[in-house]
Amino acid sequence: MAVQVARSPIPSVTEEEIDEVLSEFGGDAREAIRALLHDQAALVADAEQAVSRGFVRGLFSEGARRQAVDEEL
């Protein structure tokens, strides 16, 4: 039995939202991108801390994969 991970749909971004981000940084695209990349890195770091290592190890370890393959046969 294969484990399937649900994925959230990628939200669409409107032109208005892009304009809002740019205006927040005075039209400086490099500063806007820098801030967005910083925020993304912070979210990834938070997500990594929130993941149970035991859960991930159980899902993706060699033993778990071998058992899942054996069950499919």
Side-chain angles (χ1 to χ4, degrees):
M1 180 169 130
V3 175
Q4 294 183 356
V5 178
R7 294 187 179 203
S8 301
I10 298 172
S12 61
V13 178
T14 65
E15 292 295 318
E16 183 178 280
E17 290 171 317
I18 295 169
D19 291 339
E20 287 176 17
V21 170
L22 286 172
S23 68
E24 185 177 336
F25 293 93
D28 187 341
R30 292 184 66 81
E31 285 301 315
I33 293 169
R34 182 176 284 110
L36 291 171
L37 290 173
H38 176 271
D39 290 350
Q40 180 184 25
L43 290 171
V44 168
D46 287 346
E48 287 176 353
Q49 290 178 351
V51 171
S52 166
R53 300 295 177 224
F55 177 74
V56 172
R57 186 173 42 252
L59 270 182
F60 300 107
S61 67
E62 181 63 32
R65 285 195 303 267
R66 190 174 305 127
Q67 181 181 357
V69 170
D70 291 343
E71 288 174 1
E72 289 176 4
L73 297 176

